[in-house]
């Protein structure tokens, strides 16, 4: 840190804060100075956070801005506290999203990825990344993210690929990765499996069709929302205890339209109370039917190809699209008289792809690669149970256990080309060989590599340690693993967080239980919603582009507004008015700092305890308390409460009271001026340090101008000092009494319609007895009262009861207001209040209203009545206090 400059060389501040003129320049200065670059050889305690890697296709949305703000608050504070901080940035290769974009471009060019071939397509995709990927990284700079750009990673860079191959090989060799036919989420558009996180379930209007299988007394009626799948039925199932069908269990029935015989089986999964109590079983196209099929060893024919067209049924429906076939099959059944009932519209939940055209996904039996998550999930659950990893807030622990304790095996293969290709080779005689990163793949005729790539979540699951150099034992891995905290949304607790926990515990297990965890704490936040609490979506038209708010109000306003609604584990409603309020707060702080500097605020001066006034002691007491409060709240990830505490201390106490009191002290006592300026400067210094993690650009500009020092980024975090301990309760009580006295006089002035800056002659009686004799000048200055002169005649009196005694302020308002105009104004207000009182009492006096209206409505009317009555009393008192016209 550079040597402190003398006050005369400190920078001056312009009249207004113009964030657009300084933000980019300041950020680049920080990067160039190396403030964000971590040192693995440092002896400082480490504090590590890895960024939840955004998609390479992505741009900054409000959720990113929210999460990044919270992470940056933690990182900047720890850096100031003397930790060796590493916030490691990077991006996810986003297989499906990139595939969709590149394939769309190819279609526009009149070609396709299959015409290009795999190698040419991958080359084209890398080209797309170089030209279009990473937009969000520049937006992160604009947001002020204090990340270590020298360590930027990508989930498909060389080091990440080595980690992926190593993990796959180890899991494969231990039998924790296997290949099998299982039910998956299939996208006909992409011709690939989708992960659960890429499937959105929503209610749609469909149809429920009841179909008669068989004829005569042994006929069965089944109902389905997907008529076309009956072509793949291999059984009808009934409940074992359902006496209606007991005589049919074990027999066969003919499948309409197809003509083959299918079994009637008894299975406890069937709900005998739903519909007819008989259900069709299509094992290759329904997850529940698949399980029934496994239990009863049923055939599992697939009747759709990878594009969603009917295939292999031997019927006239082969070649039809699944939705076309749905209509055709239904009408064919109708012609045979087998449609018993139709319910339309029928509301039911259908999974849709969150990618591409948002098509309905197809449950499909498919040969895929899976991770046996059993032992991995158990370890992930145990790490939280035994306290090695804390879930914050703790109330979300049950959600964690609900997922990891009931996790299904994870399908990790995707039928795409962009991604980590599965490192498995198949030989001409059925051999299967998994190849690690340092091994040569088998050669010779007939050997081929698996065509599929890995699920994106596989590589991002390695993120906390692959980014630090694993599988090598790098200095970064030794210094910064385990990471300190993972800040992420509760909505991906299962999809991403659980995978990182499983892989971290597995990969680093040789380091011991405490060292193998990927992070000490999982700090969960909610989703950002609009100001009405509604989920943001393009269809609802309530999405927010955070860069627009940054353009209008500055980055610090966006960050402060977002932090102010960030309560652990709960959703965060935000609207433009909150960002406007944050901008106004920044303006207040800017003006306050300019005012303080103009009045000689000096953070470099020593404070003389013997020269402290009550106001000095009070503000030092308050800044110490706020420092302790903010520390405790940020340790508990209570961003909203910490930000709120800083907001009210800054605005309500420092700006509205101490600045004004200090101004009086400097003017009335030159002997004490230097000490007051020292207190003022030191308090502002601490305040700017406390605010820096949330508002880095504004505070950096103000602090360097105030102190003449190098940068607030690397300044120390404020700690409670002896200066703060010089305060005492008696001094604070006296200042609180002054505040109450001034506030009551100001309220009277406002009621009288006096201009805020208008001086009023007044006599203050009882201030000595109340122990406030040293504060008379301050009371007069803050309440805009001038001393009573000869011939003074009081026209109004304000009586203020204080803990130390009563103070009476007699005022002469005769020459300061237009009495006639004021009587007229108060008369109108009185008439309006009396009308409101009469109206509300009329409603409350009507039994029909009070008995029939909702309780909250009645309570609201009572509140309006009470307010009107209080207004009448206040206005009548104001009228009585006016002098005769």
């Amino acid at each position: 840190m550079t040597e402190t400059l003398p006050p005369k060389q400190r920078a001056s501040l312009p009249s207004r804060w113009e964030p657009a003129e300084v933000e980019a320049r300041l950020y680049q200065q920080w990067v160039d100075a190396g403030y964000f670059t971590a040192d693995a050889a440092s002896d400082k305690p480490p504090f590590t956070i890895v960024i939840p890697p955004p998609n390479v296709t992505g741009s900054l949305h409000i959720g990113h801005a929210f999460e990044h703000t919270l992470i940056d608050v933690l990182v900047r504070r720890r850096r100031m506290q003397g930790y060796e901080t590493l916030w490691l940035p990077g991006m996810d290769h986003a297989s499906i999203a990139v595939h969709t974009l590149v394939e769309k471009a190819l279609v526009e060019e009149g070609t396709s990825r299959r015409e290009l071939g795999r190698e040419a397509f991958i080359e084209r995709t890398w080209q797309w990344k170089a030209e279009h990927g990473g937009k969000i990284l520049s937006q992160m700079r604009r947001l002020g993210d204090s990340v270590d750009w020298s360590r930027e990673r990508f989930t498909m860079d060389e080091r990440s690929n080595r980690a992926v191959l190593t993990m796959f090989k180890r899991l494969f060799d231990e039998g924790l990765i296997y290949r099998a036919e299982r039910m998956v989420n299939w996208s006909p558009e992409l011709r690939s499996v989708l992960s659960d996180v890429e499937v959105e379930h929503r209610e749609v209007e469909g149809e429920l069709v009841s179909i008669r299988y068989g004829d005569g007394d042994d006929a069965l009626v089944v109902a389905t929302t997907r008529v076309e799948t009956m072509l793949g039925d291999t059984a009808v199932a009934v409940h074992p205890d359902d006496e209606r069908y007991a005589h049919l269990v074990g027999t066969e029935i003919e499948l309409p339209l197809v003509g083959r015989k299918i079994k009637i089986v008894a299975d406890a999964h069937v709900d005998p109370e739903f519909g007819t109590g008989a259900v069709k079983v299509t094992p290759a196209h329904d997850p529940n039917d698949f399980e029934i099929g496994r239990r009863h060893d049923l055939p599992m024919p697939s009747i759709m190809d990878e594009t969603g067209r009917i295939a292999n049924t031997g019927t006239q429906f082969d070649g039809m699209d699944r939705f076309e076939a749905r209509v055709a099959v239904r009408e064919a059944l109708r012609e045979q008289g087998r449609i018993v009932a139709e319910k339309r519209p029928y509301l039911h939940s259908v999974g849709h792809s969150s990618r591409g055209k948002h098509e309905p996904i197809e449950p499909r039996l498919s040969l895929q690669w899976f991770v046996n998550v059993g032992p991995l999930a158990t370890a992930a659950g145990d790490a939280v149970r035994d306290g090695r990893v804390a879930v914050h807030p703790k109330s979300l622990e049950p959600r964690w256990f609900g997922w990891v304790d009931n996790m299904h095996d994870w399908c990790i293969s995707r039928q795409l080309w962009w991604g980590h290709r599965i490192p498995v080779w198949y030989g001409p005689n059925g051999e299967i060989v998994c190849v690690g990163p340092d091994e040569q793949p088998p050669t010779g005729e007939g050997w081929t590599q698996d065509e599929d790539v890995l699920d994106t979540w596989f590589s991002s699951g390695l993120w906390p340690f692959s980014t630090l150099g694993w599988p090598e034992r790098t200095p970064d891995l030794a210094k910064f693993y385990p990471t300190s905290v993972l800040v992420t949304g509760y909505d991906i607790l299962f999809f991403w967080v659980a995978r990182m926990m499983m892989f971290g515990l597995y990969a680093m297990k040789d380091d011991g239980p405490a060292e193998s965890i990927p992070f000490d704490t999982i700090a969960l936040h909610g989703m950002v919603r609009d100001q009405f609490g509604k989920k943001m979506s393009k269809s609802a038209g309530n999405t927010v582009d955070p860069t627009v708010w940054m353009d209008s109000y500055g980055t610090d306003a966006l960050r402060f507004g977002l932090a102010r609604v960030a309560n652990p584990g709960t959703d965060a409603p935000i609207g433009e008015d909150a960002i406007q309020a944050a901008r106004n707060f920044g303006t207040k702080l800017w003006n306050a700092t300019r005012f303080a500097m103009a009045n000689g605020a000096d953070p470099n001066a020593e404070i003389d305890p013997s020269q402290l006034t009550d106001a000095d002691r009070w503000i030092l007491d308050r800044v110490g308390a706020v420092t302790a409060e903010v520390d405790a709240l940020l340790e508990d990830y209570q961003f909203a409460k910490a930000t709120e505490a800083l907001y009210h201390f800054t605005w309500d106490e420092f700006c509205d009271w101490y600045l004004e009191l200090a101004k009086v002290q400097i003017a009335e006592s030159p002997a004490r001026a230097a000490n007051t300026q020292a207190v003022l400067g030191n308090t502002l210094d601490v305040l700017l340090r406390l605010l820096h993690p949330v508002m880095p650009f504004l505070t950096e500009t103000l602090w360097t101008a105030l102190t003449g020092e190098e940068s607030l980024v690397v300044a120390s975090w404020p700690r409670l000092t002896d200066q703060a301990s010089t305060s005492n309760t008696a001094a604070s009580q006296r200042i609180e009494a002054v505040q109450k006295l001034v506030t009551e006089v100001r309220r009277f002035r406002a009621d009288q319609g006096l201009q805020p800056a208008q001086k009023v002659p007044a006599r203050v009686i009882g201030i000595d007895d109340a122990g406030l004799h040293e504060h008379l000048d301050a009371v007069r200055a803050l309440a805009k009262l001038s001393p009573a002169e000869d011939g003074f005649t009081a026209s109004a009196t304000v009586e203020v009861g204080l803990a130390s005694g009563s103070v009476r302020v007699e005022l002469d308002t005769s020459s300061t207001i237009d009495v006639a105009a004021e009587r007229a104004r108060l008369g109108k207000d009185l008439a309006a209040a009396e009308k409101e009182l009469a109206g509300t009492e009329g409603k409350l006096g009507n039994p029909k209203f009070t008995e029939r209206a909702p309780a909250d409505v009645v309570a609201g009317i009572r509140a309006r009545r009470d307010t009107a009555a209080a207004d009448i009393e206040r206005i009548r008192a104001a009228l009585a206090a006016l002098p005769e016209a």
Side-chain angles (χ1 to χ4, degrees), residues 147-166:
V147 298
D148 183 348
W149 292 109
S150 70
R151 287 176 165 86
E152 180 185 335
R153 297 296 302 274
F154 180 55
T155 51
M156 277 184 62
D157 62 29
E158 183 179 348
R159 292 170 67 187
S160 295
N161 189 59
R162 181 176 180 81
V164 167
L165 295 177
T166 301

Side-chain angles (χ1 to χ4, degrees), residues 369-539:
W369 285 96
F370 293 85
V371 173
N372 174 10
V373 300
L376 305 178
T378 297
D382 290 346
V384 174
R385 284 190 177 90
D386 62 26
R388 282 176 289 153
V389 177
V391 174
H392 190 282
K394 193 174 178 63
S395 59
L396 290 181
E397 270 191 8
R399 182 178 295 194
W400 171 259
F401 295 129
W403 280 333
V404 297
D405 292 347
N406 299 282
M407 196 181 296
H408 300 293
D409 284 0
W410 171 20
C411 178
I412 56 173
S413 47
R414 299 291 180 266
Q415 290 63 56
L416 303 169
W417 289 348
W418 172 247
H420 297 279
R421 193 168 178 180
I422 290 177
V424 170
W425 270 255
Y426 305 105
N429 299 313
E431 304 97 328
I432 298 179
V433 176
C434 179
V435 177
D438 298 317
E439 300 172 348
Q440 292 296 319
T443 57
E445 187 176 350
W447 283 94
T448 58
Q449 185 178 358
D450 194 297
E451 291 288 325
D452 293 348
V453 299
L454 288 166
D455 178 13
T456 297
W457 295 103
F458 191 98
S459 53
S460 60
L462 311 180
W463 194 246
F465 49 94
S466 67
T467 53
L468 298 173
W470 185 90
E472 278 69 49
R473 304 297 298 182
T474 64
D476 276 1
L477 191 66
K479 176 71 175 179
F480 297 111
Y481 189 89
T483 66
S484 305
V485 58
L486 176 73
V487 179
T488 192
Y490 63 71
D491 53 319
I492 59 171
L493 183 61
F494 170 68
F495 301 110
W496 185 45
V497 182
R499 283 153 171 70
M500 287 190 290
M501 282 280 279
M502 292 191 300
F503 281 168
L505 291 165
Y506 177 80
M508 308 296 288
K509 58 187 175 183
D510 293 341
D511 290 356
E515 291 75 25
S516 61
I517 57 173
F519 23 72
D520 298 323
T521 302
I522 304 168
L524 298 170
H525 59 73
M527 298 173 62
V528 182
R529 297 181 176 269
D530 70 12
Q531 65 267 42
F532 305 109
K534 295 181 179 179
K535 183 178 180 180
M536 291 186 180
S537 67
K538 291 181 179 178
S539 59

Side-chain angles (χ1 to χ4, degrees), residues 255-332:
L255 179 63
L257 303 182
V258 181
R260 55 184 165 81
K261 297 289 186 178
I262 60 175
K263 293 180 180 180
I264 299 174
V265 300
D267 194 277
H269 172 74
V270 179
D271 180 3
E273 303 298 324
F274 179 77
T276 63
V279 298
K280 60 189 286 299
V281 181
T282 320
H285 293 280
D286 183 273
N288 294 321
D289 292 3
F290 173 73
E291 296 300 329
I292 293 175
R294 289 215 297 185
R295 286 193 288 272
H296 298 277
D297 197 24
L298 298 175
M300 299 186 180
S302 178
I303 53 101
M304 287 186 204
D305 65 15
E306 63 181 10
T307 68
R309 293 186 173 275
I310 304 300
N312 305 317
T313 68
T315 68
Q316 70 269 32
F317 309 108
D318 283 355
M320 290 185 182
D321 174 79
R322 53 183 171 154
F323 302 115
E324 180 187 2
R326 181 172 300 173
V327 176
V329 170
R330 185 189 64 219
E331 294 310 308

